[in-house]
Amino acid sequence: MTATTLFQRTTGPLGAPFLLLGGSLGSNLDMWRPQLTRFGDRLRVVRFDHRGHGGSPVPPGPYRIEDLGRDVLALLDRLGIERASYCGLSLGGMVGMWLAANAPERIERLVLICTSAHLPPAEGWLDRAQQVRAGGMQPVADAVLGRWFTPRYRAALPYKLNQYRAMIAACPAEGYAAGCEAIAGMDLREDLPRIQAPTLVIAGADDPATPPEHGELIHRRIPNSRLVVVPNAAHLANAEQPETISQLIADHVTD
């Protein structure tokens, strides 16, 4: 499949180390806003939307993780970036594992947040893809929010939930469905031992979508890695615990 030209936004000082940020299924690059003010002048940040998400084109599915990874390689080439660090959450983390295993010369350091190398059963993802194609994004938005945030966060900050619900609802149904199909067909477990980039694996202690044991498996199989389990965080840990997550990311990629 031909690489898709991804929508991106680049911020931060010239000359700082490059960091790419890849988001969750159903999100757009605004999901990383909690990090931008906390990185200061330490990083040159490139946020991007996966194909089928946000401002990126929506080619017809199904997609594969490899397709999303090749989109990122094309983005690096377009921006003239030979090598960069990469941080991905959920679907973005799956893309990061593929990149680090299959294009190691392009990835300096790797951060994997609330993600998985293998997330069966495939039938569940295929059913969700069919549901979204038939009924759109609104019916799945509340279920997604229930996985993204802990009950305490949802009760305390309802106005933020409305912002994230709007983000999910705005995701193109075909892009979301094709992303589900990419996850259904994904098994990166055998790729993990090939990853040589220094890797930080972050798990949310209360993540129902990719519980900490998924991060533990990734950590065990990537030779040069460490694992941090963040308390009081569900799947969108970067939003629920922004100070902790931002500090962990910045310290790892600028070490």
Side-chain angles (χ1 to χ4, degrees):
M1 186 179 286
T2 303
T4 295
T5 301
L6 301 179
F7 180 73
Q8 63 85 27
R9 287 285 183 263
T10 301
T11 54
L14 293 172
F18 276 103
L19 172 66
L20 271 69
L21 296 176
S24 175
L25 178 69
S27 73
N28 60 45
L29 53 75
D30 283 339
M31 69 160 273
W32 296 107
R33 283 187 180 275
Q35 277 57 62
L36 294 183
T37 58
R38 293 170 170 87
F39 286 155
D41 60 356
R42 300 176 70 178
L43 295 165
R44 180 81 166 156
V45 176
V46 180
R47 296 175 294 151
F48 66 89
D49 289 329
H50 299 293
R51 63 168 62 192
H53 287 63
S56 291
V58 189
Y63 306 158
R64 300 172 300 165
I65 296 299
E66 177 182 351
D67 299 326
L68 277 65
R70 294 196 182 281
D71 291 344
V72 175
L73 293 176
L75 174 63
L76 288 171
D77 291 342
R78 178 159 56 95
L79 297 178
I81 302 172
E82 182 175 345
R83 190 171 171 87
S85 292
Y86 181 98
C87 171
L89 187 149
S90 191
L91 178 61
M94 299 167 193
V95 173
M97 286 181 271
W98 185 91
L99 287 166
N102 292 279
E105 72 282 0
R106 308 302 296 270
I107 303 301
E108 184 73 32
R109 289 174 176 265
L110 183 64
V111 182
L112 305 171
I113 306 174
C114 297
T115 191
S116 179
H118 183 53
L119 204 53
E123 292 76 16
W125 294 104
L126 298 177
D127 288 348
R128 196 190 303 184
Q130 184 178 25
Q131 176 188 1
V132 165
R133 285 194 175 105
M137 291 299 299
Q138 287 286 355
V140 304
D142 285 331
V144 172
L145 287 174
R147 293 186 289 269
W148 276 12
F149 300 108
T150 62
R152 183 172 66 178
Y153 184 93
R154 297 199 305 270
L157 296 167
Y159 72 96
K160 286 189 176 290
L161 286 192
N162 290 335
Q163 295 172 4
Y164 286 104
R165 182 182 287 105
M167 178 188 293
I168 297 163
C171 183
E174 176 60 22
Y176 187 92
C180 289
E181 291 165 336
I183 297 171
M186 174 200 67
D187 189 349
L188 297 167
R189 290 175 293 181
E190 297 306 315
D191 289 355
L192 298 179
R194 303 205 314 271
I195 295 176
Q196 296 302 312
T199 300
L200 172 64
V201 183
I202 302 173
D206 305 305
D207 181 0
T210 54
E213 54 262 32
H214 290 260
E216 291 166 4
L217 182 147
I218 294 168
H219 165 54
R220 288 197 306 270
R221 296 198 178 191
I222 296 179
N224 188 13
S225 69
R226 69 186 182 100
L227 171 67
V228 177
V229 179
V230 176
N232 301 314
H235 195 54
L236 220 66
N238 74 298
E240 191 154 6
Q241 296 295 338
E243 296 288 352
T244 298
I245 298 295
S246 301
Q247 192 67 52
L248 286 167
I249 295 169
D251 288 350
H252 180 72
V253 302
T254 60
D255 184 13

